[in-house]
């Protein structure tokens, strides 16, 4: 499962997870001493937003080394601005932990190296050690984390492993984490834009034969023979039979000169329109509810069952 820095997963993590407090920068104190061992650099969450590791900057305790601390192996005191790392018990343990660097891939093999160190420490912590601590020590050493058979004899598989298999490392409880968050899954739809096609709009030239009728004018000479009213009247010889007498006409006609000229026929506007549609998705989501268990003392049990 992929892990993310909490500020990358949810930039609003302070309001969403810690009631406007910031877990980053809190001082980290050892599980068996009151010595400061470093500060919280960031938190790693999984794909569901659940906190899985604190990234602890050990500072001067072990110079310039960041290590991962499973979320269940600590106790947060927001009032005191401290985190008590009940899972970090010695420098030798921290030195064995693999170094964490920002940007590195936290894969299954890397996590197994981390878990292997804490599994050994959890087994050792099953031996009562409270008697060796001073009464005023602010650290509560947890001796209630049970170790599953898988922890003492690991047989984990990268394809089947889940954080729920090791609650002693990843299960937050109300006693150690007072600001307990109940989570629920919701369906979140991420839309991706993908190309479904392409429309190419261009122009092509088509040809056709067009007939054009153009009216033209042509001139012609019309000769009409008529009998005037003065026909039969006498004329002198000097007036008649003059051969040089003639009429002259210029004849014209129209001809058609055909040429082609381009004109704007119409204008085409091309645009895209977005159509709205609804896609339905169905899945099963989980929701956390509080499971409150009440136990009766021996005195109360005798009151309810006097016989």
């Amino acid at each position: 499962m992929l892990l993310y820095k909490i500020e990358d997963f949810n930039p609003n993590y302070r309001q969403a997870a810690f009631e406007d407090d910031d877990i980053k920068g809190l001082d980290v104190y050892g599980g068996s001493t009151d010595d400061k061992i470093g500060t919280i650099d960031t938190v790693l969450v999984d794909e569901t937003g659940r906190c899985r590791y604190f990234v602890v900057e050990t500072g001067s305790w072990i110079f310039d080394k960041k290590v991962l601390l499973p979320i269940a192996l600590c106790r947060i005191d927001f009032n005191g601005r401290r985190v008590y790392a009940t899972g970090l018990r010695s420098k030798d343990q921290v030195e064995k932990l693999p170094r964490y660097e920002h940007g590195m891939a936290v894969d299954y093999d890397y996590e197994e190296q981390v878990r292997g160190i804490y599994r050994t420490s959890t087994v050792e912590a099953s031996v009562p050690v409270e008697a060796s601590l001073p009464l005023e020590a602010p650290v509560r050493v947890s001796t209630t984390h049970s170790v599953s058979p898988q922890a003492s004899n690991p047989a984990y598989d990268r394809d089947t492993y889940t954080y729920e298999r090791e609650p002693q490392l990843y299960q937050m409880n109300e006693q150690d984490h007072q600001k307990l968050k109940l989570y629920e899954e919701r369906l979140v739809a991420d839309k991706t834009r993908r190309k479904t096609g392409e429309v190419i709009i261009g122009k092509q030239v088509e040809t056709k034969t067009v007939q054009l009728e153009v009216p033209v004018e042509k001139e012609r000479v019309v000769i009409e023979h008529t009998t005037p009213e003065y026909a039969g009247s006498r004329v002198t010889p000097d007036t008649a039979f003059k051969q040089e007498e003639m009429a002259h006409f210029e004849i014209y006609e129209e001809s058609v000169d055909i040429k082609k000229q381009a004109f704007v026929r119409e204008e085409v506007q091309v645009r895209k329109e977005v159509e709205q549609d609804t896609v339905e998705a169905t899945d099963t989501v989980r929701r956390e509810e509080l499971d409150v268990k009440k136990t009766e003392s021996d005195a109360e049990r005798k009151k309810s069952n006097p016989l």
Side-chain angles (χ1 to χ4, degrees), residues 212-219 252-258:
L212 180 64
E213 295 182 357
V214 181
V216 295
E217 293 182 351
K218 295 181 179 181
E219 294 180 342
Y252 293 91
E253 71 176 13
E254 294 179 332
S255 62
V256 178
D257 183 13
I258 302 296

Side-chain angles (χ1 to χ4, degrees), residues 12 46 48 72 142 146 180 223 237 305:
N12 195 36
D46 62 17
T48 66
S142 174
S146 62
L180 181 67
I223 300 175
N305 298 291

Side-chain angles (χ1 to χ4, degrees), residues 204-246:
Q204 64 179 8
V205 179
E206 296 180 352
T207 60
K208 66 178 181 179
T209 302
V210 179
Q211 290 184 347
L212 180 64
E213 295 182 357
V214 181
V216 295
E217 293 182 351
K218 295 181 179 181
E219 294 180 342
R220 62 189 178 91
V221 176
V222 179
I223 300 175
E224 296 181 353
H225 295 270
T226 61
T227 302
E229 294 180 356
Y230 52 85
S233 59
R234 293 181 180 181
V235 295
T236 63
D238 297 333
T239 303
F241 304 107
K242 292 181 178 180
Q243 294 186 1
E244 66 274 5
E245 185 178 2
M246 64 181 61

Side-chain angles (χ1 to χ4, degrees), residues 64-291:
D64 196 26
K65 183 177 183 181
K66 295 183 179 71
V67 296
L68 299 189
L69 173 65
I71 194 71
L73 299 182
C74 65
R75 178 169 61 88
I76 304 175
D77 181 5
F78 276 103
N79 294 329
R81 306 298 297 169
R82 290 186 175 189
V83 174
Y84 293 103
T86 58
L88 291 178
R89 304 181 182 280
S90 65
K91 287 186 178 181
D92 181 64
Q93 179 190 17
V94 176
E95 289 174 350
K96 292 179 181 178
L97 286 169
R99 182 183 299 271
Y100 172 81
E101 298 289 346
H102 290 306
M104 67 180 297
V106 180
D107 55 14
Y108 175 82
D109 294 331
Y110 179 88
E111 286 191 84
E112 273 299 293
Q113 294 181 49
V114 174
R115 285 190 286 260
I117 302 299
Y118 288 111
R119 286 170 187 149
T120 303
S121 299
T122 307
V123 171
E124 295 172 353
S126 62
V127 180
V129 296
E130 291 183 350
S132 62
L133 293 176
L135 295 178
E136 67 274 14
V139 179
R140 180 186 57 79
V141 179
S142 174
T143 61
T144 59
H145 292 311
S146 62
V147 182
S148 64
Q150 296 159 326
S152 59
N153 183 20
Y156 304 117
D157 181 82
R158 68 175 64 246
D159 297 324
T160 60
Y161 182 85
T162 61
Y163 294 115
E164 287 71 18
R165 295 182 62 179
E166 295 187 272
Q168 72 276 10
L169 297 181
Y170 302 107
Q171 180 64 52
M172 291 192 300
N173 58 75
E174 186 177 2
Q175 186 174 4
D176 288 346
H177 303 82
Q178 296 298 321
K179 296 188 178 183
L180 181 67
K181 300 296 180 181
L182 298 180
Y183 295 88
E184 67 177 6
E185 292 179 328
R186 298 179 181 178
L187 294 182
V188 179
D190 292 328
K191 296 189 292 184
T192 57
R193 187 180 179 90
R194 61 185 180 88
K195 182 178 179 180
T196 58
E198 186 176 21
V199 177
I200 300 176
I201 300 177
K203 297 191 301 182
Q204 64 179 8
V205 179
E206 296 180 352
T207 60
K208 66 178 181 179
T209 302
V210 179
Q211 290 184 347
L212 180 64
E213 295 182 357
V214 181
V216 295
E217 293 182 351
K218 295 181 179 181
E219 294 180 342
R220 62 189 178 91
V221 176
V222 179
I223 300 175
E224 296 181 353
H225 295 270
T226 61
T227 302
E229 294 180 356
Y230 52 85
S233 59
R234 293 181 180 181
V235 295
T236 63
D238 297 333
T239 303
F241 304 107
K242 292 181 178 180
Q243 294 186 1
E244 66 274 5
E245 185 178 2
M246 64 181 61
H248 181 75
F249 294 94
E250 291 183 353
I251 306 300
Y252 293 91
E253 71 176 13
E254 294 179 332
S255 62
V256 178
D257 183 13
I258 302 296
K259 62 181 179 179
K260 292 183 288 185
Q261 178 67 48
F263 295 88
V264 176
R265 180 169 62 90
E266 63 179 345
E267 186 176 66
V268 178
Q269 294 182 350
V270 181
R271 67 178 185 275
K272 296 191 299 182
E273 293 183 351
V274 178
E275 296 182 353
Q276 298 290 337
D277 198 359
T278 302
V279 178
E280 294 185 356
T282 304
D283 204 345
T284 302
V285 297
R286 296 174 294 178
R287 177 187 176 93
E288 291 182 342
E289 297 289 348
L290 286 179
D291 184 9

